[in-house]
């Protein structure tokens, strides 16, 4: 015991310095590497699935929300599903299939008016779609003003002419011939409504902070699928067009914010009296479904 006391009495300044140095070093390492460790464990591969590099950087600067805290503050309520007898279930399934099997892509539109309330309900229906972390990362811009529709057409056709003449491969252009589609898009003038679908790469909070969105492109795509079904159910038609390279100019024209990226442009209305469609066949069930 005496030896230990003598040792501590002689070397206590060195031991104290070593202890303080250890604590300081530990705190420094936590400060230096703690953020990287937190980022590593909170990494979500879904965030990078559908983002351009610029959007990925934007999300890195966003405000993350702890999923547990959201769960703790979100009320859960009972869910009751209306169930049908087997015969009625099958009848409803077949009836809906037949309705959707009649759906066709139309590029020849009537200018006959469609009530705005109908279009509003169609978009509300699209808004029932599921989305990553319920972020609902979509904006549907409905254009009905003729002069604005025409400006949309001019922007789209300017880029589409370049696409057909230079950007698109000869094989791509050849594959489109059976649809009788060209760089000219007169239906953008004729259809009573144009619905431009924007993906929100990230959200914006009440104080201007950036909020993470997850699986945003997939979420918007599912929402548009529901919209297509709603359009068919209402007795209207559309064409799912992708305005290649026209997105930035259209975003500027429509005054949309920087966090939104144009994905699709859908004219909506009635088909013209002389509308035609290519005589195509859909794949059979055995070609699209595998049961295990």
């Amino acid at each position: 015991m005496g030896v230990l006391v003598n040792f501590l009495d002689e070397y206590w300044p060195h031991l104290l310095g070593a202890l303080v140095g250890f604590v300081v070093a530990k705190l420094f390492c936590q400060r230096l590497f703690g953020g990287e460790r937190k980022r590593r464990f909170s990494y979500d591969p879904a965030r990078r699935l559908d983002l351009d590099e610029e959007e990925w950087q934007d999300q890195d600067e966003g405000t993350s929300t702890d999923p547990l805290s959201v769960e703790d503050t979100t009320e859960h309520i009972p869910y009751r599903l209306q169930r049908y007898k087997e015969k009625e279930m099958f009848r409803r399934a077949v009836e809906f299939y037949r309705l959707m099997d009649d759906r066709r892509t139309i590029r020849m539109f009537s200018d006959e008016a469609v009530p705005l309330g109908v279009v509003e309900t169609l978009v509300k229906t699209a808004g029932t779609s599921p989305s990553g972390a319920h972020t609902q990362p979509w904006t549907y811009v409905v254009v009905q003003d003729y002069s604005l529709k025409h400006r949309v057409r001019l922007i789209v056709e300017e880029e589409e002419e370049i696409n057909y003449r230079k950007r698109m491969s000869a094989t791509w252009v050849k594959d489109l011939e059976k649809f009788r589609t060209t760089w000219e898009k007169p239906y953008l003038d004729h259809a009573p409504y144009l619905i431009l679908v924007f993906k929100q790469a990230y959200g914006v909070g009440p104080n201007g902070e950036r909020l993470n969105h997850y699986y945003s492109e997939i979420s918007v795509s599912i929402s548009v699928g529901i919209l297509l079904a709603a359009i068919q159910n209402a007795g209207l038609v559309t064409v799912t067009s992708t305005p290649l390279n026209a997105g930035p100019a259209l975003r500027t024209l429509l005054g949309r914010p920087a966090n939104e990226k144009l994905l699709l442009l859908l004219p909506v209305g009635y088909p013209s009296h002389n509308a035609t469609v290519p005589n195509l066949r859909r794949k059979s069930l055995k070609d699209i479904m595998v049961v295990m």
Side-chain angles (χ1 to χ4, degrees), residues 35-280:
E36 180 62 30
R37 186 182 300 111
K38 181 178 180 182
R39 177 183 295 273
R40 187 183 310 123
F41 284 108
S42 64
Y43 170 73
D44 180 1
R47 294 174 59 198
R48 197 151 200 172
L49 180 66
D50 59 1
L51 297 180
D52 297 332
E53 188 62 29
E54 179 180 346
E55 294 166 344
W56 171 249
Q57 293 170 359
D58 288 339
Q59 288 210 5
D60 275 347
E61 298 169 4
T63 301
S64 297
T65 303
D66 182 359
L68 292 179
S69 64
V70 173
E71 182 72 17
D72 290 343
T73 59
T74 301
E75 179 187 7
H76 281 222
I77 59 177
Y79 175 71
R80 298 289 183 266
L81 175 69
Q82 181 178 357
R83 298 186 60 171
Y84 304 100
K85 293 183 178 180
E86 186 173 317
K87 183 177 180 180
E88 174 64 9
M89 186 189 306
F90 188 76
R91 185 195 67 77
R92 291 171 65 91
V94 171
E95 184 178 275
F96 187 72
Y97 161 71
R98 288 174 176 166
L99 172 69
M100 297 310 300
D101 193 41
D102 285 338
R103 188 206 59 78
R104 297 302 304 267
T105 293
I106 300 296
R107 294 178 174 84
M108 305 170 72
F109 282 79
S110 165
D111 60 2
E112 183 179 351
V114 173
L116 178 60
V118 172
V119 177
E120 291 174 339
T121 304
L122 298 178
V123 175
K124 282 174 61 178
T125 304
T128 67
S129 173
S131 60
H134 195 59
T135 53
Q136 305 170 88
W138 43 69
T139 301
Y140 288 88
V141 178
V142 178
V143 179
Q144 61 177 341
D145 178 77
Y146 178 82
S147 62
L148 189 55
K149 287 192 299 179
H150 187 65
R151 292 171 69 184
V152 169
R153 176 185 177 181
L154 294 179
I155 291 173
V156 171
E157 287 187 337
E158 180 180 3
E159 292 295 337
E160 281 288 85
E161 184 174 13
I162 299 173
N163 294 336
Y164 272 77
R165 297 186 187 280
K166 296 180 180 180
R167 296 181 182 130
M168 295 163 60
S169 68
T171 303
W172 189 353
V173 174
K174 181 69 175 177
D175 287 341
L176 291 175
E177 287 182 355
K178 60 187 173 187
F179 303 109
R180 300 179 185 174
T181 178
T182 69
W183 61 267
E184 295 178 291
K185 312 296 180 185
Y187 54 76
L188 297 178
D189 277 340
H190 299 159
Y193 297 100
L194 304 181
I195 301 180
L196 292 92
V197 186
F198 287 84
K199 173 189 80 171
Q200 299 171 8
Y202 56 88
V204 180
N207 298 316
E209 70 274 20
R210 294 184 177 186
L211 305 175
N212 290 337
H213 281 176
Y214 308 94
Y215 289 116
S216 56
E217 191 153 322
I218 293 178
S219 299
V220 176
S221 299
I222 296 172
S223 178
V224 171
I226 295 175
L227 176 63
L228 295 178
I231 290 171
Q232 178 70 11
N233 184 60
L236 301 171
V237 296
T238 188
V239 50
T240 51
S241 65
T242 52
L244 186 64
N245 296 102
L250 291 175
R251 183 176 68 183
T252 299
L253 173 67
L254 301 174
R256 302 312 306 159
N259 66 317
E260 294 186 358
K261 178 181 179 181
L262 182 64
L263 287 188
L264 290 168
L265 193 166
L266 291 81
V268 175
Y270 296 107
S272 65
H273 70 279
N274 60 340
T276 62
V277 294
N279 187 16
L280 304 175

